[in-house]
Each structure stands twice: as C-alpha cells, then as structure tokens.
Amino acid sequence: MEYQKPIPLKNQDNSPYWDAADRHELTLQRCDSCHEYAHPPGPSCAKCGSTDLSWVSIGDDVKATIYSYVVSYRPFLPGFQDELPLIIAQAELEKVPEVKIMCNVLECKPEDIQIGMPVQMIWQDIAEDRALPQWKPVDE
Amino acid sequence: MGKITDRYAIVGVGESERSRNSGTTPLHMALDAARSALKDSGLNAQDVDGFMSYNENDSCTSHELATYLGVRPKYVKDIHGGGSSTEMLIGDAVGLIEAGILNTVLIFRSMNGSSGQRVGRGYDPDMLQGALPGGSYIIPYGSASPSQWFGMFATRHMHETGITKEHLGHVCTSFYEHAGRNPKAFLHAKPLTMEKYMDTPDISYPFNIHDSCLELDEANAIIVTSAERARDCMSKPVYIMGMSARQCHPHAHYWSDLDQVASDFVAPKVYESAGVKPEDIQVASIYDCFSWVVLRQLEAYGFAPRGEVGNFVAEGNLRMGGKLPTNTAGGMLSEGYTHGMNNVLEIVRQIRHEYKGTDRQVEGCEIGICTGWSGPDIAGAMILRN
C-alpha cells in the first residue's frame, strides 16, 4: 500500500539533508565561522549569522540516546492512525550531542521508552526514491 | 522605553460569552468584548484612538473592530501571535502613548477556537511543513499538535527536576477548584479530583486532557491608557509597574539548550523594571496552555527553586490561601482560552478587589504578576499594582 504519512518536503535550505537521507546517509549543516552545527539547517547560521556553511557527513552508522519523548495516543496527522500509541522522541547524537533529531522510535513498546536509552538510526524506505531516518532500540 | 512604573494603567476589561460553538463570527464576539471593556472603563469608543490584536489567521482585524464601533482610529495593528502577545502589545501601546502618538489603546483577542480553526487538532501537513521552522524534520514523524510539542519539553524537564505526573495534577486540580468558584468558567461545574486526574488516559504522555487548555469560542478586550487619563475613567485603574519580553531559540522544536527558556531572561528584567521581588507578588496569572508550563514558569520567575517546584504546588500554594494564588478564575485549563488574555482580565479584577467579600478574592492583594509564554522561545511578563 502506498505510504500515507507526510513525506519530508525538500526546499532550498534542507535538500542536502534529505538528498543524503534518500541515499541512507546522515548529513548535517555546520558553520565554518563558529563551528556550531545548525540543525535544522538554514540560509545562514542561527548561532552567529555567518553564511559560511558546510555539509558534514555523519555516515550511515549513527547512534544516539533518547533526550526526550512523548507517547502520542491520537493521530494528529494522516497515516498515523494505525500505529498508535506512537513514540515521538528527540535523539541526541553520540558523535554530535549538541544535535537533537526528532524521530519515531520503532520496535519499542511505550512502557519501555526512557530518557537516556541507546538507539540506532535505521533507514525507512517510504517511496521509490525517498527514505526517512528512524530509530530503534539498540539490542543489549 | 524609559521608566514607566505607575505611569500607565489598564482601565477596562471585558469579554464575550464563551462557548464550544458561538454560532457567530470573531468580529461579533470582538465587538461584544470591546463594548464590555468600554462600559467597564466608562470611556466612549471615540476616546480610543488605537486598536491592536493578535491572531493566527483566525480572527477579525483591528480595523474591522474599530469600524463597527463607529471609530476612525489613528492607528491599527494586527500581529501574528499567541502566548505572550498580550504583554507585548501592551508594551507597544505604552510606547505609542509615551511617544504622544496615541492616547488610549484597546487590545483584543477573538477566536472561534473550538468551532472554527482549532489549534489542538493540527493543520494540513504540507502547510505545516512549510510554516514551521524546520517543519520537514517534525511533521513526517507525526508531531503536529501542541500537546506533542509541549510534551517533549515537559518530559525532559520532568526528568531533570523530579517533577511527577502528580505534580502536574496539582496544577490542574488547583485551577479547576478556582473554576468551581467562577460561574463564568467553562468548566465551572466539572470538579477535578487528583484521583480522577490520575485515572484519565493520556493524549500525549505526559499530558492528558486536563493538562491541556480548553479550546473555546471567545473574545477578550483590555483598554490601556496613561495614569493621567485613567483618572477620568469610571473603573479603578490597575497600574503597570514593569514589563519585559524576549524572543530566543531559533527552533523551538529542537530545544538543544534545555537550560534556557525565554522566561528565564524575562524574569530578572520584569522584576528590575517594576522594582519588586518575587516575594512581593501576592497573586499571579501564569500562562497555562499546558499544566507543565506553569511549573517551568514558577521556576523561572523565582517562586520556587529548580527541583522544588513540584513540592511548591503539592503544598497547595497555587490555591486560595496559598503563597501564590494563581489563575484564580480557573485559567486556560478550566475558565476559557484566548491565548492568555483571559488571565489578564482576571488579575486586573483581583488587583481591583472586584470580588471583595466573596471567596474568590485574594485577600488584600496589591501586587500581581501576569506572564505569557509561547514555548521555550517566547515570553512576556508584566507586574501590576492596585
């Protein structure tokens, strides 16, 4: 069945991120002036205003810990009605802890989710040429 | 703006009926609220030369309101905004009066928040992706409701400070208790016990329906003028001692620096501008789109140290007779919901001692604080006195 959920819309500022995701790779924007990561990416650095920005590959093997979460019992968007309760979380990247990526934690029961829990990025193919970074608990 | 302490006052407050289905337009409700505030102040519509409002594309304009009050105003201003906007527009009004551009300003918020465009129900996914900063990183993951956004902030803060679900419940039961004394509160006849609160299933953990503000059809209006002109008004003026506002965080949903919320920046400034301390505050209106937001602000505004805010509310300090009676009409959790303005109306009435002789009056309160909050990124606050 066709994917019913919203698909990330590419635009001028975010397309390098989503293009890389489609190749199963995580790429983050970083400021060459203040060396801070800029996530979500933008037309210039939200920390210092510099336009000297680069894209840095974090690769395809990405680990994180859960920084915060909610357990959603209602579908507020189309496509989520059959997957409740849904865990929506922020993953703090192991290699770049200042970056928190909003995500779903898949293969995890709501009663098992907790802050500090280790997770691994997985790539969910959602259309022929599109992929969505997701996360699952790391097997102990 | 220089020192404004006691030089400006709120001289009129008013509201429309509140309901789940008004059967009318935001313009009609805004007119009801404005006429009620004018009547309260004793001013004529023609005495008002500035009209301001905030909205989320869900309201009428200030120009429309002025037109149908029969006024041809010098100045109108409509901003896009929610929480904190009341305080920010009052700041603008004071600035324009200070500059000699205006004499008297009416500020309103009108919305069919239940029967019309409903915040908590979410919006069109593609529109949201474009409208929200970093929307493509949020919407594909099913996060489109304020209960999910604020819940994310709450879970982390609760984890760090030891605040529990029961502490959230104390905020809710305190405010519902106040609504029980307020016949105009929407949930006046819906008492909430801790047992009932704890038994209510979550919508977005850590929040259940009681942790979330009501979505209603309602309009509120307030009138601001100089202390000098306030003397000609029929109402007892409530003077503005100090105000402050702040916007920070480029992307509220990516709250990477959790130790920082806008209220933390606003708190020292608002106390400094008013020349008072937290212990001088006797009554509070604390923005309460969600129960947890109250706890984080009590911490920010210095009413209890970080880590002790849960105990502060569990001890009953938000209730009548507590250290800081808060949202004494029931707040947005149980009285009504106009993105914060109904809480301004209530604190004005408390400081005027309008409920004197009843169990709704905070005994002898002279100084109160009113805060606005629109997420970790935006805050505004003002301190008012009798």
Side-chain angles (χ1 to χ4, degrees), chain B residues 259-281:
Chain B
D259 292 336
Q260 190 186 73
V261 300
S263 305
D264 295 331
F265 293 94
V266 167
K269 295 286 180 199
V270 74
Y271 288 125
E272 186 191 323
S273 95
V276 298
K277 295 185 166 60
E279 49 270 33
D280 299 319
I281 306 291

Side-chain angles (χ1 to χ4, degrees), chain B residues 287-298:
Chain B
Y287 197 85
D288 56 336
C289 51
F290 293 95
S291 58
W292 166 78
V293 164
V294 175
L295 294 161
R296 183 62 182 88
Q297 289 174 95
L298 291 172

Side-chain angles (χ1 to χ4, degrees), chain A residues 3 5-11 13-15 17-18 39-41 46-47 55 66-78 80 86-90 92 98-104 115-116 132-134, chain B residues 120-130 133-134 136-145 147-157 159-160 202-206 209 250-251 253-259:
Chain A
Y3 189 73
K5 296 172 190 167
I7 289 176
L9 296 178
K10 292 182 185 177
N11 63 34
D13 295 322
N14 69 19
S15 52
Y17 180 97
W18 290 113
H39 186 76
K47 302 264 168 51
W55 287 89
I66 295 302
Y67 182 74
S68 195
Y69 66 90
V70 294
V71 183
S72 187
Y73 294 89
R74 288 190 192 175
F76 289 100
L77 290 168
F80 290 94
L86 175 76
I87 300 171
I88 305 170
Q90 274 177 307
E92 179 179 293
E98 61 268 41
V99 172
K100 277 88 181 171
I101 295 183
M102 199 177 282
C103 60
N104 300 130
I115 288 173
L132 187 68
Q134 288 287 20
Chain B
R121 199 181 284 152
Y123 302 95
D124 172 76
D126 286 354
M127 184 278 277
L128 266 182
Q129 276 203 60
S136 75
Y137 302 93
I138 304 166
I139 300 307
Y141 297 103
S143 188
S145 154
S147 65
Q148 298 166 318
W149 302 336
F150 283 87
M152 193 77 81
F153 312 140
T155 308
R156 178 73 196 183
H157 180 252
H159 170 78
E160 291 194 358
D202 289 328
I203 294 173
S204 300
Y205 171 86
I209 191 80
H251 307 108
H253 300 279
Y254 288 82
W255 196 12
S256 55
D257 183 1
L258 182 89
D259 292 336

Side-chain angles (χ1 to χ4, degrees), chain B residues 162-175:
Chain B
I163 287 170
T164 64
K165 184 91 179 147
E166 197 161 332
H167 292 141
L168 301 183
H170 282 291
V171 174
C172 302
T173 53
S174 301
F175 294 0

